[in-house]
């Protein structure tokens, strides 16, 4: 019997300014999906503490333990009202905002003078899959300079080093809670809408990860 396809879903815990991180319930909901297309897929999850040290320590450990074929990561962009599919990771780290352990980076870059690194053309497929659910999803070239960008950089490094075949990072907005609305009056994206878009992107990642096995 062939080995199951492995997909690792990740999110983040709370951090300064965001005591509630909706990536946690999103990842949990996606991991519980039961679909015929997922019968031969093993879904694993990991929630990273929002610290640079945790990413550096835990990412290699979880990749070694799970050996995923694809890595689908989620992070919170609280100032963005739509879904952002990141297309690259920037060689940038903020020196202004501390992480959840109150640690500030002592340098502005991750890896010397290296250029930004691209996730790959599959991000366009994920964008299309998300949009087909009706959600407002857009491509992004700027993952910021905080932990989401840092994890993206480390994930792409692992892909290039022979780890997962594919990696992708999705920024999600603050979700509607208790009837909350955006300042402009439009209702915020709900968790249910986000789960639908997340499922569509997950299914697309599964299809993409299957290709090398069947080619």
């Amino acid at each position: 019997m062939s080995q199951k396809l492995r997909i690792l879903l990740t999110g983040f815990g709370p951090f300064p300014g965001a005591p509630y991180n909706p990536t946690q319930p999103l990842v949990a909901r996606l991991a519980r999906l039961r679909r015929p297309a997922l019968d031969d897929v093993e879904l694993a999850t990991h929630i990273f503490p929002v610290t640079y040290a945790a990413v550096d320590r835990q990412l290699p450990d979880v990749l070694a333990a799970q050996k995923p074929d694809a890595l689908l990561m989620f992070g919170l962009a609280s100032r963005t009202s739509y879904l952002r599919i990141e297309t690259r990771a920037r060689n940038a780290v903020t020196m202004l905002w501390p992480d959840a352990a109150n640690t500030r980076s002592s340098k502005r870059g991750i890896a010397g003078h290296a250029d930004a690194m691209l996730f790959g053309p599959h991000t366009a497929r994920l964008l299309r899959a998300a949009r087909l659910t009706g959600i407002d999803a857009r491509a992004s070239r700027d993952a910021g300079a905080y932990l989401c960008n840092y994890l993206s950089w480390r994930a792409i490094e692992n892909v290039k080093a022979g780890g997962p075949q594919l990696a992708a990072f999705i920024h999600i907005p603050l979700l509607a809670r208790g009837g909350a609305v955006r300042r402009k009056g439009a209702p915020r994206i709900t968790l249910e809408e986000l789960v639908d878009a997340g499922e569509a992107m997950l299914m697309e990642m599964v299809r993409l990860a299957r290709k090398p096995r069947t080619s």
Side-chain angles (χ1 to χ4, degrees):
M1 182 164 43
S2 61
Q3 187 179 18
K4 283 191 173 185
L5 194 74
R6 292 173 175 263
I7 309 293
L8 176 62
L9 307 168
T10 77
F12 278 109
F15 57 94
Y20 170 77
N21 194 324
T23 63
Q24 292 182 270
L26 171 62
V27 166
R29 288 282 300 274
L30 293 177
R32 293 197 298 268
L33 287 174
R34 297 295 179 265
R35 303 287 185 270
L38 296 175
D39 285 347
D40 64 341
V41 177
E42 184 172 325
L43 299 177
T45 67
H46 187 77
I47 301 298
F48 288 100
V50 185
T51 72
Y52 299 105
V55 169
D56 283 338
R57 182 179 65 254
Q58 295 180 11
L59 180 61
D61 289 347
V62 72
L63 291 180
Q66 299 297 336
K67 297 180 174 58
D69 297 283
L71 177 58
L72 184 56
M73 304 168 286
F74 295 93
L76 174 64
S78 58
R79 296 183 181 181
T80 304
S81 60
Y82 50 86
L83 201 70
R84 282 168 37 193
I85 287 79
E86 300 300 339
T87 60
R88 64 177 191 162
R90 300 166 57 236
N91 185 17
V93 186
T94 181
M95 299 176 69
L96 298 176
W97 305 308
D99 63 16
N102 202 32
T103 299
R104 283 182 170 85
S105 175
S106 60
K107 55 185 180 179
R108 297 184 182 277
I110 302 172
H113 298 287
D115 294 330
M117 293 195 294
L118 299 177
F119 278 107
H122 60 280
T123 55
R125 300 276 296 269
L126 299 184
L127 177 61
R128 181 176 182 274
R131 283 178 170 173
L132 285 174
T133 69
I135 205 167
D136 184 0
R138 309 177 197 181
S140 169
R141 288 175 48 82
D142 187 352
Y146 198 46
L147 267 296
C148 292
N149 181 73
Y150 190 77
L151 176 60
S152 295
W153 184 278
R154 295 304 187 202
I156 296 174
E157 282 184 334
N158 276 276
V159 171
K160 291 179 177 291
Q165 301 169 29
L166 300 166
F169 194 96
I170 314 300
H171 262 124
I172 69 171
L174 285 172
L175 304 182
R177 300 181 71 198
V181 296
R182 299 192 194 108
R183 291 177 182 175
K184 292 183 179 180
R188 281 180 174 169
I189 290 172
T190 66
L191 178 59
E192 297 306 317
E193 292 170 328
L194 192 58
V195 169
D196 287 344
E199 178 181 347
M201 290 184 289
L202 171 60
M203 294 301 187
E204 189 61 37
M205 286 289 273
V206 167
R207 284 189 285 270
L208 291 165
R210 278 198 182 112
K211 285 186 176 181
R213 292 186 166 201
T214 58
S215 59

